[in-house]
Amino acid sequence: MAIMLGACVLPATPAMPAPAPVPEEIPVGVLVDLSTGQTLFAREADRRFVPASVTKVMTAYTAFKLIEEGELRLDMPYLYPASLEEEWYAEGSNMFLRAGERPTIAQLLLGITTVSGNDASVALATAATGSLDSWIALMNANAEALGMRNTHFGSANGFPDGGETYTTANDLALLGAAITREYPGLYRRFFGHRGLRWRDIAQSNHDPVTGRVDGADGMKTGYTNEAGFTFLGSAERDDRRLVMVLAGAPSGRERDDASRALLEWGFDNFEHTKLIDRGTIVSSAAVQDGSAARVNLRLESDLAVALPKDIDVDSWKIETVYRGPLQAPIAAGDSVARLRLTIDGESVLEAPLVAAADVPQANLFQRIANAFVSWVQ
């Protein structure tokens, strides 16, 4: 059954929740609901800043990718050289590796994700590719592939590098989404640990949400004098995963309190609702030079939305958006349009629409018939 959705009014439903609990002193932030793709909160989300140790999430992502591709083994040992000990021992956050030790890739990853080891990050990079330059090139290639268009990495660990490393909250949210979705097993194995012991040195994880917010499982804090206090975090409840970023907080306490409050706000003030099932024919689009004048459009996946609670809204509007008319030939399954949901004129989310059938290029007689229909109309 087709649902024609040029513009339709839905029953009154919740609209805008209470304001997000992020103080104005924190200049940058974003909260994304991965189950719907919605941004629930944004403040200067495309503003560039220095990520500091949050850089290490990309180092972990790059390692996970190599592991899944069979290019890197978790049990592979690495002989830690004296040159790295001299450069990185006790330099900022540290695993406190010593020359001659043979940590495995798995141990280095835990040193990165749990205690933010600057030394462990450089050791992993060197073990995996033979040089920091090669590793950083991989990090930047991965950032480009993920669509992190306002990001560049100049180091494996986020140590101050004169501004060569920068990112945005939206770009870090893309990275958070990718590492949790693409490598869920490795993510669960290496993120969310509360502490790490290496030799006789025991250290705690500074992650402010794991163990404090129900469903929270990582990811990474960051701090430099230039960058302030930053956090990329995530939590999952009832099949809803939220990813959040806060940057530039004036103190660790403000960052930590706001991080916990923002995740709780996202879960408490929104509920997940499926509006339309995948495969539903929702509209049609005009076709030029095709064997048919129009093609039906269907949803490639469920249309789901995180609905704010407690405040009524007058109407929703759902509309089909495409550059038209579409040019034949068109194959069934081609992504040709988008379904846009707005509330009170504000875009809430978009979902891809695909062609429900093939539309071959018109033959001579079909072109004449189409021209006649167009002329009559």
Side-chain angles (χ1 to χ4, degrees):
M1 172 175 151
I3 304 175
M4 304 311 293
L5 295 172
C8 66
V9 176
L10 301 181
T13 57
M16 298 306 297
V22 180
E24 293 297 327
E25 292 76 19
I26 300 178
V28 175
V30 72
L31 177 67
V32 178
D33 187 329
L34 298 189
S35 62
T36 65
Q38 285 172 258
T39 297
L40 306 182
F41 164 77
R43 178 184 295 164
E44 298 284 350
D46 287 318
R47 172 177 164 181
R48 289 182 178 179
F49 60 88
V50 176
S53 283
V54 179
T55 295
K56 291 162 184 153
V57 178
M58 177 54 86
T59 285
Y61 176 87
T62 301
F64 290 176
K65 190 171 189 291
L66 292 176
I67 291 163
E68 289 291 305
E69 292 171 350
E71 299 295 324
L72 192 63
R73 297 193 335 270
L74 286 170
D75 62 353
M76 185 182 89
Y78 173 64
L79 178 60
Y80 193 68
S83 58
L84 289 188
E85 179 187 348
E86 182 178 351
E87 183 176 4
W88 289 106
Y89 188 81
E91 192 69 60
S93 301
N94 229 256
M95 189 175 168
F96 297 103
L97 294 166
R98 288 291 194 182
E101 293 182 326
R102 291 180 174 270
T104 64
I105 295 300
Q107 289 170 323
L108 291 174
L109 273 168
L110 284 171
I112 293 166
T113 59
T114 306
V115 297
S116 194
N118 288 326
D119 52 351
S121 302
V122 175
L124 175 62
T126 307
T129 61
S131 75
L132 272 177
D133 287 344
S134 297
W135 181 263
I136 292 167
L138 278 182
M139 293 171 67
N140 285 311
N142 288 337
E144 183 177 1
L146 292 176
M148 299 172 66
R149 295 182 179 86
N150 289 303
T151 294
H152 183 266
F153 295 105
S155 74
N157 54 22
F159 205 74
D161 58 10
E164 191 174 345
T165 298
Y166 57 82
T167 190
T168 67
N170 276 335
D171 279 4
L172 286 182
L174 288 174
L175 176 59
I179 199 168
T180 55
R181 283 175 165 170
E182 295 176 23
Y183 309 111
L186 289 168
Y187 176 77
R188 286 192 298 269
R189 177 170 177 175
F190 289 103
F191 282 88
H193 295 274
R194 300 311 304 144
L196 177 72
R197 176 180 290 274
W198 181 252
R199 293 192 316 276
D200 58 344
I201 303 171
Q203 299 182 76
S204 297
N205 192 339
H206 295 302
D207 165 6
V209 298
T210 304
R212 304 285 297 274
V213 174
D214 185 26
D217 49 18
M219 299 175 197
K220 191 74 198 68
T221 57
Y223 169 74
T224 65
N225 288 330
E226 178 186 7
F229 292 83
T230 300
F231 180 58
L232 165 61
S234 186
E236 186 174 29
R237 294 182 195 169
D238 301 324
D239 297 323
R240 284 183 67 203
R241 179 170 286 280
L242 305 184
V243 167
M244 56 143 297
V245 179
L246 293 178
S251 72
R253 178 175 226 174
E254 288 173 277
R255 173 200 61 193
D256 295 353
D257 289 346
S259 295
R260 291 188 286 266
L262 185 58
L263 285 173
E264 295 287 7
W265 176 84
F267 285 117
D268 292 345
N269 287 276
F270 297 84
E271 57 188 357
H272 186 272
T273 300
K274 184 168 69 172
L275 298 180
I276 307 173
D277 291 330
R278 63 175 295 187
T280 301
I281 303 296
V282 297
S283 188
S284 66
V287 178
Q288 182 173 309
D289 296 332
S291 60
R294 301 191 70 83
V295 62
N296 284 336
L297 305 175
R298 63 176 174 80
L299 277 168
E300 194 169 25
S301 57
D302 293 341
L303 180 65
V305 61
L307 299 177
K309 300 176 181 177
D310 300 333
I311 303 176
D312 289 338
V313 67
D314 292 333
S315 66
W316 291 0
K317 183 179 178 181
I318 302 180
E319 57 189 347
T320 301
V321 181
Y322 66 96
R323 291 182 177 273
L326 305 177
Q327 183 66 47
I330 299 168
D334 282 352
S335 182
V336 294
R338 300 190 69 78
L339 197 66
R340 178 181 295 161
L341 168 65
T342 59
I343 299 179
D344 285 343
E346 181 176 349
S347 179
V348 174
L349 62 83
E350 292 189 357
L353 293 173
V354 300
D358 294 331
V359 182
Q361 199 160 27
N363 58 37
L364 175 61
F365 297 106
Q366 288 168 330
R367 287 200 299 272
I368 293 172
N370 289 342
F372 177 76
V373 169
S374 175
W375 178 75
V376 170
Q377 292 176 342

